[in-house]
Amino acid sequence: MSSTQPIGIFDSGVGGTSIWKEIHELLPFEKTIYLADSKNAPYGKKPIGEIINLSRKNTEKLLQMGAKTIVVACNTATTNAIKVLRSNYNVPFIGIEPAIKPAALHSKTKAIGILATRGTLTSELFHQASELYSKDIHIFEVEGHGLVELIESGKRNSNQTKNLLRNLLKPMLEHSIDYLVLGCSHYPYLVPVLKEILPEDVQVIDSGEAVARHTKVVLTENDLLAPEGINPIPEFFSNTNPEVLASLINAEENNFKVSHLDF
């Protein structure tokens, strides 16, 4: 394995670009390849076996493309499949989990909300994390039913999305949460809308920055950190129409390559 090989990143669709942005900002000298499995989005409604199979498919495509490490930029895939991936493939894997710990530690009202997909909320890994930090904290979990589909179709700022979010957040706000944990990599793209809806004293928190820092640690520990001085152009692939993906990363403005790929 060479340090100049790319970091592979996959998600059930375009949402994982929120994780990619944090990695790219922290590690600009790293070449990155991003796979948006939008054809199969959302993963959150699928049975565990199918989530594992899709995660293996994405992993094998990234390995074919030379990935030196793989970031599973999808909460549902991490919580349901990363153990299988780590036991079957000989590269480092970095996962993404809801940021329950910092929210629980800093909450003053002792009430936090978690907005996530069904696949994440029902997973064993999520249950363990929630149980660990819920001793003195009330955790209110809400399934973000329909949000991934709206983001994938380019409607993240629509009135339909705003109305859906208001309905989803209402029970959490009635219990005086002061932190909202975003438990899906798609959801950071809803932050501008969330700031319109949420009271000022409710903070929104996601895992992107922490994942980027952990990626740097893993690369350093495995002697895979790319040398400084080069600025490789990242590559993005979608197995559906790549227009939404391109718009989220400002591909034209940044001269990023976004392509259709059947995988």
Short mmCIF file of all heavy atoms in Angstrom, two decimals, residues 33-62:
data_model
loop_
_atom_site.label_atom_id
_atom_site.label_comp_id
_atom_site.label_asym_id
_atom_site.label_seq_id
_atom_site.Cartn_x
_atom_site.Cartn_y
_atom_site.Cartn_z
N ILE A 33 -11.51 9.59 -3.65
CA ILE A 33 -12.50 9.08 -4.60
C ILE A 33 -13.81 8.87 -3.83
O ILE A 33 -13.82 8.18 -2.80
CB ILE A 33 -12.06 7.75 -5.24
CG1 ILE A 33 -10.79 7.93 -6.06
CG2 ILE A 33 -13.17 7.17 -6.12
CD1 ILE A 33 -10.23 6.64 -6.62
N TYR A 34 -14.87 9.47 -4.33
CA TYR A 34 -16.16 9.41 -3.65
C TYR A 34 -17.18 8.65 -4.50
O TYR A 34 -17.37 8.96 -5.68
CB TYR A 34 -16.68 10.83 -3.36
CG TYR A 34 -17.99 10.86 -2.62
CD1 TYR A 34 -18.02 10.91 -1.24
CD2 TYR A 34 -19.20 10.81 -3.31
CE1 TYR A 34 -19.22 10.92 -0.55
CE2 TYR A 34 -20.41 10.81 -2.63
CZ TYR A 34 -20.41 10.87 -1.26
OH TYR A 34 -21.60 10.87 -0.57
N LEU A 35 -17.84 7.67 -3.88
CA LEU A 35 -18.92 6.92 -4.54
C LEU A 35 -20.26 7.27 -3.91
O LEU A 35 -20.46 7.09 -2.71
CB LEU A 35 -18.70 5.41 -4.40
CG LEU A 35 -17.50 4.76 -5.08
CD1 LEU A 35 -17.58 3.23 -4.91
CD2 LEU A 35 -17.42 5.12 -6.56
N ALA A 36 -21.18 7.75 -4.73
CA ALA A 36 -22.55 8.03 -4.29
C ALA A 36 -23.46 6.92 -4.81
O ALA A 36 -23.77 6.89 -6.00
CB ALA A 36 -23.02 9.39 -4.80
N ASP A 37 -23.88 6.04 -3.92
CA ASP A 37 -24.74 4.92 -4.32
C ASP A 37 -26.20 5.35 -4.31
O ASP A 37 -27.05 4.73 -3.67
CB ASP A 37 -24.50 3.73 -3.38
CG ASP A 37 -25.15 2.45 -3.87
OD1 ASP A 37 -25.49 2.37 -5.06
OD2 ASP A 37 -25.33 1.52 -3.05
N SER A 38 -26.48 6.43 -5.03
CA SER A 38 -27.82 7.04 -5.01
C SER A 38 -28.90 6.11 -5.56
O SER A 38 -30.07 6.23 -5.20
CB SER A 38 -27.81 8.35 -5.79
OG SER A 38 -26.98 9.31 -5.18
N LYS A 39 -28.50 5.20 -6.42
CA LYS A 39 -29.46 4.24 -6.99
C LYS A 39 -30.13 3.42 -5.89
O LYS A 39 -31.27 2.97 -6.04
CB LYS A 39 -28.73 3.33 -7.98
CG LYS A 39 -29.61 2.32 -8.69
CD LYS A 39 -28.86 1.65 -9.84
CE LYS A 39 -27.66 0.84 -9.34
NZ LYS A 39 -26.98 0.12 -10.46
N ASN A 40 -29.42 3.21 -4.79
CA ASN A 40 -29.93 2.38 -3.70
C ASN A 40 -30.29 3.18 -2.45
O ASN A 40 -30.54 2.59 -1.39
CB ASN A 40 -28.91 1.29 -3.35
CG ASN A 40 -28.72 0.31 -4.48
OD1 ASN A 40 -29.65 -0.41 -4.84
ND2 ASN A 40 -27.52 0.28 -5.07
N ALA A 41 -30.31 4.50 -2.56
CA ALA A 41 -30.67 5.33 -1.41
C ALA A 41 -32.18 5.30 -1.18
O ALA A 41 -32.95 5.18 -2.14
CB ALA A 41 -30.21 6.77 -1.65
N PRO A 42 -32.59 5.41 0.10
CA PRO A 42 -31.76 5.44 1.30
C PRO A 42 -31.48 4.03 1.83
O PRO A 42 -32.29 3.12 1.62
CB PRO A 42 -32.63 6.22 2.28
CG PRO A 42 -34.04 5.86 1.89
CD PRO A 42 -34.01 5.68 0.39
N TYR A 43 -30.35 3.87 2.51
CA TYR A 43 -30.04 2.59 3.14
C TYR A 43 -30.87 2.35 4.39
O TYR A 43 -31.07 1.21 4.81
CB TYR A 43 -28.55 2.54 3.54
CG TYR A 43 -27.56 2.29 2.41
CD1 TYR A 43 -27.96 2.27 1.07
CD2 TYR A 43 -26.22 2.10 2.70
CE1 TYR A 43 -27.04 2.07 0.05
CE2 TYR A 43 -25.30 1.88 1.69
CZ TYR A 43 -25.70 1.87 0.37
OH TYR A 43 -24.78 1.67 -0.63
N GLY A 44 -31.32 3.45 5.01
CA GLY A 44 -31.95 3.35 6.33
C GLY A 44 -33.19 2.49 6.40
O GLY A 44 -33.56 2.03 7.48
N LYS A 45 -33.85 2.24 5.27
CA LYS A 45 -35.08 1.44 5.27
C LYS A 45 -34.82 -0.03 4.92
O LYS A 45 -35.75 -0.83 4.93
CB LYS A 45 -36.07 2.02 4.26
CG LYS A 45 -36.57 3.41 4.60
CD LYS A 45 -37.53 3.88 3.52
CE LYS A 45 -38.07 5.27 3.83
NZ LYS A 45 -38.99 5.73 2.76
N LYS A 46 -33.58 -0.35 4.59
CA LYS A 46 -33.28 -1.69 4.08
C LYS A 46 -32.94 -2.67 5.21
O LYS A 46 -32.47 -2.26 6.27
CB LYS A 46 -32.12 -1.62 3.09
CG LYS A 46 -32.41 -0.74 1.88
CD LYS A 46 -31.28 -0.78 0.87
CE LYS A 46 -31.54 0.21 -0.27
NZ LYS A 46 -32.76 -0.09 -1.02
N PRO A 47 -33.14 -3.99 4.99
CA PRO A 47 -32.73 -4.98 5.99
C PRO A 47 -31.21 -5.04 6.11
O PRO A 47 -30.48 -4.67 5.16
CB PRO A 47 -33.29 -6.29 5.43
CG PRO A 47 -33.54 -6.04 3.99
CD PRO A 47 -33.81 -4.59 3.83
N ILE A 48 -30.73 -5.52 7.25
CA ILE A 48 -29.29 -5.51 7.53
C ILE A 48 -28.49 -6.24 6.45
O ILE A 48 -27.45 -5.77 6.01
CB ILE A 48 -29.01 -6.13 8.92
CG1 ILE A 48 -29.58 -5.24 10.02
CG2 ILE A 48 -27.52 -6.33 9.14
CD1 ILE A 48 -29.46 -5.82 11.41
N GLY A 49 -28.99 -7.41 6.01
CA GLY A 49 -28.27 -8.18 5.01
C GLY A 49 -28.03 -7.41 3.73
O GLY A 49 -26.95 -7.48 3.13
N GLU A 50 -29.02 -6.63 3.32
CA GLU A 50 -28.89 -5.84 2.10
C GLU A 50 -27.90 -4.68 2.30
O GLU A 50 -27.10 -4.37 1.41
CB GLU A 50 -30.24 -5.29 1.65
CG GLU A 50 -30.19 -4.62 0.29
CD GLU A 50 -31.56 -4.23 -0.24
OE1 GLU A 50 -32.58 -4.58 0.40
OE2 GLU A 50 -31.61 -3.56 -1.29
N ILE A 51 -27.94 -4.07 3.48
CA ILE A 51 -27.00 -2.99 3.80
C ILE A 51 -25.56 -3.51 3.75
O ILE A 51 -24.66 -2.87 3.19
CB ILE A 51 -27.29 -2.39 5.19
CG1 ILE A 51 -28.66 -1.70 5.19
CG2 ILE A 51 -26.21 -1.40 5.60
CD1 ILE A 51 -29.19 -1.38 6.57
N ILE A 52 -25.34 -4.70 4.29
CA ILE A 52 -24.00 -5.31 4.26
C ILE A 52 -23.57 -5.59 2.82
O ILE A 52 -22.43 -5.29 2.44
CB ILE A 52 -23.98 -6.60 5.11
CG1 ILE A 52 -24.12 -6.25 6.61
CG2 ILE A 52 -22.70 -7.40 4.87
CD1 ILE A 52 -24.32 -7.45 7.50
N ASN A 53 -24.46 -6.15 2.03
CA ASN A 53 -24.13 -6.46 0.63
C ASN A 53 -23.80 -5.20 -0.17
O ASN A 53 -22.85 -5.19 -0.97
CB ASN A 53 -25.26 -7.23 -0.03
CG ASN A 53 -25.39 -8.66 0.48
OD1 ASN A 53 -24.43 -9.22 1.01
ND2 ASN A 53 -26.57 -9.24 0.36
N LEU A 54 -24.56 -4.15 0.02
CA LEU A 54 -24.29 -2.89 -0.67
C LEU A 54 -22.96 -2.29 -0.22
O LEU A 54 -22.19 -1.77 -1.04
CB LEU A 54 -25.43 -1.89 -0.42
CG LEU A 54 -26.77 -2.22 -1.08
CD1 LEU A 54 -27.87 -1.32 -0.54
CD2 LEU A 54 -26.67 -2.09 -2.60
N SER A 55 -22.68 -2.39 1.07
CA SER A 55 -21.42 -1.87 1.60
C SER A 55 -20.22 -2.64 1.05
O SER A 55 -19.18 -2.05 0.72
CB SER A 55 -21.43 -1.92 3.13
OG SER A 55 -22.47 -1.13 3.66
N ARG A 56 -20.39 -3.94 0.90
CA ARG A 56 -19.31 -4.75 0.31
C ARG A 56 -19.11 -4.41 -1.16
O ARG A 56 -17.98 -4.32 -1.64
CB ARG A 56 -19.63 -6.24 0.48
CG ARG A 56 -19.62 -6.71 1.93
CD ARG A 56 -19.71 -8.21 2.06
NE ARG A 56 -18.51 -8.85 1.54
CZ ARG A 56 -18.09 -10.07 1.91
NH1 ARG A 56 -18.76 -10.75 2.81
NH2 ARG A 56 -17.01 -10.59 1.38
N LYS A 57 -20.22 -4.20 -1.87
CA LYS A 57 -20.13 -3.80 -3.28
C LYS A 57 -19.34 -2.51 -3.44
O LYS A 57 -18.44 -2.40 -4.28
CB LYS A 57 -21.55 -3.62 -3.84
CG LYS A 57 -21.62 -2.92 -5.19
CD LYS A 57 -23.06 -2.65 -5.61
CE LYS A 57 -23.74 -1.60 -4.76
NZ LYS A 57 -23.32 -0.22 -5.08
N ASN A 58 -19.67 -1.53 -2.62
CA ASN A 58 -19.00 -0.23 -2.69
C ASN A 58 -17.52 -0.35 -2.32
O ASN A 58 -16.65 0.26 -2.95
CB ASN A 58 -19.68 0.77 -1.77
CG ASN A 58 -21.12 1.03 -2.14
OD1 ASN A 58 -21.51 0.87 -3.30
ND2 ASN A 58 -21.94 1.40 -1.16
N THR A 59 -17.26 -1.14 -1.28
CA THR A 59 -15.88 -1.35 -0.83
C THR A 59 -15.04 -1.98 -1.95
O THR A 59 -13.92 -1.53 -2.23
CB THR A 59 -15.86 -2.26 0.41
OG1 THR A 59 -16.48 -1.57 1.50
CG2 THR A 59 -14.44 -2.65 0.79
N GLU A 60 -15.58 -3.00 -2.58
CA GLU A 60 -14.83 -3.70 -3.62
C GLU A 60 -14.56 -2.79 -4.84
O GLU A 60 -13.50 -2.86 -5.45
CB GLU A 60 -15.56 -4.98 -4.02
CG GLU A 60 -15.46 -6.04 -2.93
CD GLU A 60 -16.37 -7.23 -3.12
OE1 GLU A 60 -16.96 -7.36 -4.20
OE2 GLU A 60 -16.50 -8.02 -2.17
N LYS A 61 -15.51 -1.91 -5.15
CA LYS A 61 -15.29 -0.96 -6.25
C LYS A 61 -14.16 0.01 -5.88
O LYS A 61 -13.28 0.30 -6.71
CB LYS A 61 -16.57 -0.19 -6.55
CG LYS A 61 -16.44 0.88 -7.62
CD LYS A 61 -15.89 0.35 -8.94
CE LYS A 61 -16.88 -0.54 -9.66
NZ LYS A 61 -16.39 -0.95 -11.00
N LEU A 62 -14.15 0.50 -4.66
CA LEU A 62 -13.11 1.43 -4.23
C LEU A 62 -11.73 0.75 -4.19
O LEU A 62 -10.72 1.36 -4.54
CB LEU A 62 -13.45 2.03 -2.86
CG LEU A 62 -14.58 3.06 -2.87
CD1 LEU A 62 -15.03 3.39 -1.45
CD2 LEU A 62 -14.15 4.34 -3.60
#
